[in-house]
Amino acid sequence: EIVLTQSPGTLSLSPGERATLSCRASQTVGGGSLAWFQQKPGQAPRLLISGASTRATGIPDRFRGSGSGTDFTLTISRLEPEDFAVYYCQQYGSSPRTFGQGTKVEIK
Amino acid sequence: EVQLVQSAAEVKKPGESLSISCKGSGYSFTNYWIGWVRQRPGKGLEWMGVIYPGDSDIRYSPSFQGQVTISADKSISSAYLQWSSLKASDTAMYYCAKSSLRSLHTAFNVWGQGTMVTVSS
């Protein structure tokens, strides 16, 4: 099973700042099959990025995914108030698919 | 509109059985995988398993194999997650989600609203 480790655990930033979230895999993620999800309190997760870098329908271009192999990054270029949430990475290239433990982006 | 609608919250006692449901609409239910995800209170997301309703191909995550049963009834476009004997540790929010493509190895892009299961004596 591929273990995903996200860092940092919490990111304290102000609106307008840039957020950089990391997701490191214990083995190569096949086919770049890495997704990022956003979850706000009381809501279901929402798919942001699939295939490491492809934005899902309706996702603003301030969200950018990058990386390959074992190292992946989600960058939010300028934080909007609605972006403060928990972000999870997930690999789906190998069974079972697995999630990282999450990074909370909070208002500083 | 593609939608997954889950059954209502449940409160059960330890040892009781339970089945929760996830009904798909707005797409061909038999042609996409449905997955189940657990989220314990204040914790992260855990992948439980998936089913392909077209032929009931089921894949469990090792941590959940033998602990739950995943099934589907394609005649009513519904998937199910079942427990035969609940434990307090099963208290969690459970989400279903739909694959974006027919392949198993794709991202899941549509999610249900979640079903909260509380197990308490």
Side-chain angles (χ1 to χ4, degrees):
Chain A
E1 171 173 317
I2 295 179
V3 176
L4 299 178
T5 302
Q6 293 186 240
S7 60
T10 302
L11 205 46
S12 298
L13 295 168
S14 301
E17 289 194 295
R18 180 186 189 94
T20 303
L21 289 66
S22 173
C23 176
R24 180 161 289 176
S26 59
Q27 313 169 34
T28 295
V29 175
S33 299
L34 195 286
W36 290 94
F37 294 88
Q38 176 193 67
Q39 189 179 33
K40 297 179 182 178
Q43 296 185 17
R46 177 173 72 144
L47 177 67
L48 299 175
I49 302 284
S50 63
S53 61
T54 302
R55 279 188 300 277
T57 302
I59 302 304
D61 60 8
R62 64 180 181 273
F63 290 92
R64 188 172 75 89
S66 62
S68 63
T70 60
D71 287 297
F72 299 88
T73 300
L74 175 69
T75 303
I76 310 171
S77 58
R78 285 207 314 267
L79 283 164
E80 298 287 341
E82 62 268 27
D83 298 337
F84 291 92
V86 179
Y87 292 82
Y88 294 94
C89 59
Q90 183 198 47
Q91 69 78 24
Y92 52 91
S94 303
S95 295
R97 61 181 65 202
T98 48
F99 287 101
Q101 81 279 18
T103 290
K104 182 178 182 180
V105 179
E106 65 176 23
I107 299 176
K108 187 174 182 180
Chain B
E1 179 193 5
V2 176
Q3 254 187 316
L4 296 175
V5 177
Q6 297 186 231
S7 49
E10 301 272 4
V11 179
K12 292 288 192 180
K13 291 181 167 41
E16 291 186 331
S17 63
L18 175 66
S19 177
I20 62 174
S21 66
C22 169
K23 184 173 176 60
S25 61
Y27 73 100
S28 178
F29 185 75
T30 54
N31 290 338
Y32 295 83
W33 293 81
I34 294 284
W36 288 95
V37 174
R38 181 174 77 179
Q39 187 169 38
R40 286 173 165 154
K43 302 300 184 183
L45 305 172
E46 300 174 90
W47 189 260
M48 302 177 72
V50 288
I51 185 166
Y52 189 77
D55 61 6
S56 289
D57 184 2
I58 303 170
R59 317 286 178 89
Y60 292 99
S61 180
S63 301
F64 292 91
Q65 179 85 47
Q67 307 304 306
V68 296
T69 301
I70 294 171
S71 62
D73 184 342
K74 57 188 179 183
S75 69
I76 54 171
S77 300
S78 293
Y80 302 93
L81 183 63
Q82 300 168 273
W83 294 261
S84 59
S85 180
L86 286 160
K87 301 185 279 285
S89 57
D90 294 318
T91 294
M93 180 71 82
Y94 293 88
Y95 294 101
C96 63
K98 168 194 162 291
S99 65
S100 55
L101 299 171
R102 295 185 182 189
S103 168
L104 173 59
H105 296 291
T106 60
F108 280 54
N109 65 337
V110 177
W111 290 63
Q113 83 277 19
T115 296
M116 184 67 206
V117 174
T118 303
V119 183
S120 174
S121 53

